[in-house]
Amino acid sequence: MKIGIFYTTIHESTKKSCETLASKTNADIRLIPIENAKSECILKYNFIILAGSAINGKVQNKLKLYISQNLKNLKEKPLGLVLNCEDDVDRFNKTFTEEIVNSSKIKSNFGYELNPDEGNYIEKRKINKLISQYKKNNRELPSLNHDEINKFADYINTMIEKRID
């Protein structure tokens, strides 16, 4: 089974979580940064995963544009959704259109992490400030949710075993 993960990321957290997912599955998975994706790429895959980081409740415009331009093809494929963001029960409905959420077979929030070494100078300062606030309030720093990544990988592996396309 060929799986395409079309993703956007700002601080590499989404890419890292998608790489972790790919390493836990028994599929031929290709990670495709959304800026390198072309409309015809979708047709090459048996299963599509759309992944992005949601910052302040919004996913990157590049991903939204890609989805809107390829909606017809996306709806014809088995689809999974991944977000990297803080916990929020209704995050998918706030981030993606109802049409995409309803057509997805699986959706998951892989969490996120704060890395002060990524981004430009301003982003690094913002991240360091956030880390300081977490420490000041004796809160644990956010991290990737490996349980959710494992559940998603298990779903894919089960799908492959059943040969569901």
Side-chain angles (χ1 to χ4, degrees):
M1 175 178 277
K2 291 181 84 174
I3 297 174
I5 301 178
F6 296 81
Y7 73 93
T8 59
T9 189
I10 292 177
H11 299 292
E12 300 299 316
S13 191
T14 304
K15 181 180 179 184
K16 182 178 176 182
S17 65
C18 290
E19 288 171 340
T20 303
L21 174 65
S23 73
K24 294 176 180 281
T25 62
N26 302 321
D28 177 12
I29 294 184
R30 177 141 184 250
L31 272 67
I32 305 151
I34 210 73
E35 48 275 346
N36 295 344
K38 295 180 181 169
S39 298
E40 63 271 14
C41 286
I42 293 170
L43 303 175
K44 297 177 186 177
Y45 300 97
N46 306 98
F47 190 81
I48 303 293
I49 298 171
L50 300 172
S53 54
I55 297 174
N56 298 326
K58 296 179 182 177
V59 75
Q60 291 83 16
N61 284 333
K62 291 177 197 174
L63 183 58
K64 286 184 176 185
L65 181 63
Y66 185 79
I67 291 169
S68 67
Q69 290 173 339
N70 296 284
L71 187 59
K72 182 180 181 285
N73 287 335
L74 287 170
K75 286 175 34 182
E76 293 173 359
K77 295 280 186 177
L79 181 67
L81 300 176
V82 170
L83 284 176
N84 286 84
C85 61
E86 64 277 353
D87 285 332
D88 182 346
V89 176
D90 203 32
R91 177 66 66 190
F92 287 92
N93 292 321
K94 292 176 182 175
T95 304
F96 296 104
T97 64
E98 183 178 349
E99 201 171 18
I100 286 294
V101 172
N102 290 339
S103 67
S104 66
K105 302 281 186 199
I106 183 172
K107 52 188 175 292
S108 187
N109 182 347
F110 288 174
Y112 70 105
E113 56 190 10
L114 298 171
N115 187 341
D117 298 326
E118 294 172 351
N120 61 33
Y121 176 75
I122 294 170
E123 290 167 343
K124 288 177 182 179
R125 286 192 56 181
K126 286 180 185 178
I127 291 171
N128 279 314
K129 186 175 180 179
L130 277 172
I131 290 171
S132 295
Q133 289 173 349
Y134 272 93
K135 290 180 179 178
K136 180 181 176 183
N137 296 324
N138 292 321
R139 292 177 49 209
E140 190 174 319
L141 289 175
S143 61
L144 294 180
N145 187 334
H146 289 279
D147 288 340
E148 285 297 314
I149 296 171
N150 289 336
K151 286 178 193 174
F152 206 102
D154 289 344
Y155 175 85
I156 291 171
N157 290 330
T158 300
M159 185 177 61
I160 291 167
E161 289 170 13
K162 291 180 178 182
R163 298 193 184 268
I164 299 172
D165 285 35

